[in-house]
Structure formats: structure tokens, C-alpha cells
Amino acid sequence: MSGKTACFAIAGLTLLGSISQTAAGGRAVECYEPVRTPAVYDTVYEDIMVSPPGQQIVDYDPPIYGTRERVVMTVPAQVQYEVVPAITRTIYRTVRVDGGGYSWEWRVIHGRRVLCKVWHKARYERVAETVVIQPERTRRVVVPAQYDSIAEEVLVRPEQRRVIDIPGAYQTVPRRVLVREGSSGWRRVHIPRHCRD
């Protein structure tokens, strides 16, 4: 095969998908070939968390409670008022109930009914009398408060716990990342001068 025939073969393969009437029988002026640049990837390593950090109780003592007695007021003090009756006493005294003196009376003397002037002595009687020694009054009375003893639960010792911190666990894993995307286009093909004719 001559050199000229080889040039035409190369140009024909380059433009195989788009053979035009000019390319079929004419002279090649410019030639291009499709090119594709592949994407470029790289591997990076990163730490990922396998388990998060936390805490763990390694020792625990429950709280301790006890009983304590306490005196509390159940009924508050009160003020009341009461009536104190009067204080009386009975005394006796002699009083004259009849002043005596003269009076006229009909009498029978020696069988004859006569009107006589009669002398009467004064008459006395013993009578009782109630006297007030101390009058009725109102007295202020303070009723003291009432207290009771009650038992109540109190905290003697709070709960005790020992906690340790557990750090998070990480693992290094590879990851494929895209550095540069692939591209496609056309690249001009150089045709030697002796192949153009």
C-alpha cells in the first residue's frame, strides 16, 4: 500500500460516523477525532464514630433513710371569754313588821260586851336578805396550744454512685472521592501534507 492510500485510510476512519459527500471524494482539509478524558478518583481516609461517648455506673449505694420524731402544733392557742357570775351572800336582820300602839277592840268582861282601848307592843321579825359582794363580770381565758409528737422520714445519707466516662469509639475507613469529572470532546488530528492530495 502506498503512503497516499494509507493517509486516506486514516482520514476515513477518523470521520467514519459523519462521512459527507465532500469527504467521500474530496480532499481533507481538517480532521478531528472524538476524545474522552476519564474521571479522576482518589481514596481518602476519614474517622467515623462507631459508638458515641457515654457514662457507666460502676458502683451504686442507695440512699439511707431514718425516722425522726418532731413535735408539731395540732391546735393553736385560743382566747375565750366567759361570764363569771356575781358573788352573793345571805344576811339576816331583824326588822319591825308592826309598830305596835293602841287599838280599840270589843271584849266581853263579866258578861258584858265592852269596847276597850288595848296597847300592843311592837312586833319584830328576822328576815333574810341577799347582798352582792362581787358583781358579775367577763373573764378572758387563754386556752393553750396543743402539741403532738409525730414521726417523719428523713434522709440520713443520699445515694452514692461512681460513674466513669467512656470515650467514643472511632474507626478509620477509606472513601473514594471524585477529584475531577470526566469530559468528552473533539481533538484535531494532524494530517501530513503529502496525505492531503
Side-chain angles (χ1 to χ4, degrees):
M1 178 183 295
S2 65
K4 194 170 190 177
T5 306
C7 292
F8 282 120
I10 294 173
L13 289 174
T14 303
L15 301 175
L16 182 62
S18 58
I19 299 176
S20 64
Q21 187 177 0
T22 304
R27 185 169 60 97
V29 179
E30 290 181 356
C31 298
Y32 295 88
E33 65 177 346
V35 292
R36 174 165 181 79
T37 305
V40 179
Y41 292 89
D42 194 7
T43 301
V44 296
Y45 295 89
E46 61 183 2
D47 293 334
I48 62 170
M49 182 183 294
V50 179
S51 61
Q55 291 183 330
Q56 180 180 0
I57 299 175
V58 295
D59 193 12
Y60 176 77
D61 290 329
I64 298 176
Y65 292 91
T67 302
R68 179 180 66 183
E69 287 198 356
R70 185 166 60 95
V71 178
V72 297
M73 183 192 308
T74 55
V75 180
Q78 299 177 354
V79 177
Q80 298 178 351
Y81 293 90
E82 61 181 20
V83 177
V84 180
I87 300 176
T88 60
R89 187 174 65 181
T90 302
I91 61 174
Y92 296 90
R93 60 181 181 145
T94 302
V95 296
R96 188 170 66 179
V97 295
D98 189 354
Y102 295 96
S103 66
W104 294 92
E105 297 179 359
W106 289 100
R107 293 187 179 182
V108 177
I109 299 175
H110 302 294
R112 296 174 60 185
R113 185 172 179 269
V114 294
L115 183 61
C116 301
K117 184 179 182 181
V118 180
W119 167 255
H120 296 282
K121 293 189 301 182
R123 189 164 52 91
Y124 296 88
E125 287 185 2
R126 184 178 170 85
V127 296
E129 183 180 358
T130 301
V131 295
V132 177
I133 298 176
Q134 184 174 338
E136 178 183 277
R137 61 190 176 89
T138 301
R139 182 175 63 181
R140 181 176 181 268
V141 179
V142 178
V143 180
Q146 297 180 13
Y147 297 87
D148 284 331
S149 178
I150 62 171
E152 62 180 2
E153 189 179 55
V154 294
L155 180 64
V156 177
R157 191 195 68 188
E159 67 174 15
Q160 296 178 352
R161 61 178 67 191
R162 188 163 64 89
V163 180
I164 60 173
D165 293 327
I166 301 175
Y170 295 86
Q171 182 179 357
T172 302
V173 295
R175 184 166 63 91
R176 190 171 173 82
V177 295
L178 178 65
V179 176
R180 186 178 67 240
E181 293 185 354
S183 62
S184 60
W186 295 91
R187 180 175 60 187
R188 185 173 182 179
V189 177
H190 175 69
I191 302 174
R193 180 178 295 273
H194 67 274
C195 291
R196 297 177 185 176
D197 298 334

